[in-house]
Amino acid sequence: MIAALVSEYRKFFTTRMWWILMICMMAYFLVISLAMAWVFAYAVSGDDGAVSQYRPMIYGLGASMGYVFPALVGAVAVTGEYRHRTIVPTYLAEPRRWVVMTAKALAAIPMGFVIAVAGTVSCLVGGAVGLHLGGADPGLWASQTWKAAGLSILALTMWSVIGVGLGMLVISQVGVIITVLAFTQLVEPLARVGLSAFPSTSGIAKFFPGAASDAVSGGTSIYSQLSVNGSMMQASSLSVGQGVLVLAAYGVVFALLGYVARIRRDVA
Amino acid sequence: MIEVDHLAKRYGSQRAVDDLSFVVRPGKVTGFLGPNGAGKTTTLRAATDLIRADKGRVTFDGQAYRELLQPMRHVGVALEPTAFHPGRTASDHLMMLAPYAGVDHRRCATVLGLVGLEEAAGKRVGGFSLGMRGRLSLAAALLGNPEFLLLDEPVNGLDPEGIRWMRQLLRELADEGRTVLISSHLLSEVEQTVDEVVIIAQGRLVFQGSLAALEASTAAWVSVESSEPEAVREVARRRGWSLPPDGAHHGRTVWIGGATSTEVAVAIVQAGIPLEGLSSSSSDLESIFLSMTAGQGGIR
Ligand SMILES: Nc1ncnc2c1ncn2[C@@H]1O[C@H](COP(=O)(O)OP(=O)(O)OP(=O)(O)O)[C@@H](O)[C@H]1O
Ligand SMILES: [Mg+2]
């Protein structure tokens, strides 16, 4: 298992895909957190209570809006193996496929952590600059800021593990990219807004991966704000701990499905 | 010793490998031959657990591939010369396999030197030629210093000098007591490299033995051209002469074994079958190979 982990780690860091995606992610996080923070600070100008209440939301923007990036990094780490057929030498080196797949899932954690830290730092920098430009206190040393950053790192790390599970299930590089983009950017946002509009279905929406991610990164994302401020209904969201469990469950379920799909399948 | 034991694999209704049994002995280079689509790659994939055989098994000194704890240290395999990430360098590729083989960067450098890629060690595989990729596949197979080698079309993409180099390398590896199996669809390509041959066609064994035995066993093949090939085959069957396995169809040419050309000519004329041409096979191995596998090409 140690050999498999070392191998997975080397595979990951000898390709360019992950850092290209990471740079895109950092740029995106920097821009959205800067823009949102600036606009927000401008809008609430001088209301220190509002600033300290919503600051964690700005610093957690990456985890609530940009989790597609760590998910893609994790997914492509797996599908790239099939695309370039390096899965062949890998299974030749370790015919016990469960060892390889477990190593992939475990190796995703430290790699996801690196990406999560990079993304969260971008949000901190962008958010702080934006707040400052808008005349608000960035509050970088406030304990709630550190908590928001820590939870953002946790949520983003878990997304890269979910990505690995998804990659094992879908296998096709294009397929997984389309699935991830379509689900996170279109299906889920629409479904969350739609389902949370009705009291009877709002209980389901909170179990969506994006909603769970919001719960982890502070439970104060755009969607929960949207519902509270729009007073359409009581915003139902999970606690941080529940959010972690739900995200972990998605990672485990995808990985298990992928495992069942691949364990006996011919590689030819 | 590698033992292939009643191996079978179907794809849909097609029998890619059909009840195939043979053994590969240590200290020799064995050629695994057959026309395109004969089932060579399928056999090698099934032997290494990449695909699941429907029946039978393949063992390496009695152990199945999946039972080997660090398979790279026992069985070196080079199947696809394209299984590389184009963005990785040659040494990145080996380093990602090194933990499985239990070796470090020095061994990676050694095998790169062995296959003549030391200059290209730091270059991305995306820019490699077919021959260089083949060499890198071989380097990966040799990484764990295995006692068995399974190489699928190893001379593919090599220039004449490369073929000579490969021949010498395989010879040395076999002389060290290793078991070396190399596949090819051309006997001439490996004729000077191999000691033994295993010939298959349509997933079934056609011949196993030394090159000398191959020559001897088919010295008397006669090829007959006729507009009625089925009638010619019927005559051969009635007389108890041998035909290539499965009564292979190869247009108007029928190969007949166990008879002289005169006997064949007389029999055909007596049967009133139009005879358009007749020749005894030369001792040229390639035509022997063709006669054995004639018309059993892969595009089925
Ligand atoms: N994954 C697959 N799905 C369906 N059919 C397959 C598959 N792999 C191989 N086959 C079929 O099985 C037969 C044997 O193929 P195989 O690749 O083993 O031949 P080969 O002897 O290696 O030929 P070549 O000399 O062309 O490499 C072929 O007819 C091929 O079409
Ligand atoms: Mg082949």
Side-chain angles (χ1 to χ4, degrees), chain B residues 69-86:
Chain B
L69 262 186
Q70 278 183 306
M72 288 186 81
R73 300 183 78 110
H74 302 283
V75 187
V77 190
L79 283 188
E80 298 177 43
T82 52
F84 305 107
H85 192 295

Side-chain angles (χ1 to χ4, degrees), chain B residues 80-95:
Chain B
E80 298 177 43
T82 52
F84 305 107
H85 192 295
R88 289 201 184 103
T89 65
S91 44
D92 284 344
H93 180 77
L94 295 184
M95 280 303 279

Side-chain angles (χ1 to χ4, degrees), chain A residues 77-167:
Chain A
V78 179
T79 56
E81 277 254 276
Y82 278 84
R83 169 147 183 244
H84 300 297
R85 313 207 38 77
T86 49
I87 194 70
V88 170
T90 302
Y91 281 158
L92 286 174
E94 179 50 276
R96 292 172 303 169
R97 298 187 182 181
W98 67 268
V99 173
V100 173
M101 289 191 255
T102 310
K104 279 189 191 303
L106 290 179
I109 295 172
M111 298 165 203
F113 181 76
V114 170
I115 289 152
V117 169
T120 303
V121 167
S122 307
C123 286
L124 286 173
V125 172
V129 171
L131 287 172
H132 181 74
L133 289 176
D137 175 15
L140 270 182
W141 313 114
S143 64
Q144 34 145 247
T145 300
W146 287 101
K147 189 177 163 212
L151 291 170
S152 159
I153 290 172
L154 181 62
L156 289 174
T157 304
M158 298 187 83
W159 273 103
S160 62
V161 180
I162 293 178
V164 168
L166 203 62

Side-chain angles (χ1 to χ4, degrees), chain B residues 91-112:
Chain B
S91 44
D92 284 344
H93 180 77
L94 295 184
M95 280 303 279
M96 104 192 182
L97 297 171
Y100 286 117
V103 300
D104 62 9
H105 62 95
R106 281 177 307 228
R107 176 68 188 164
C108 294
T110 307
V111 290
L112 281 175

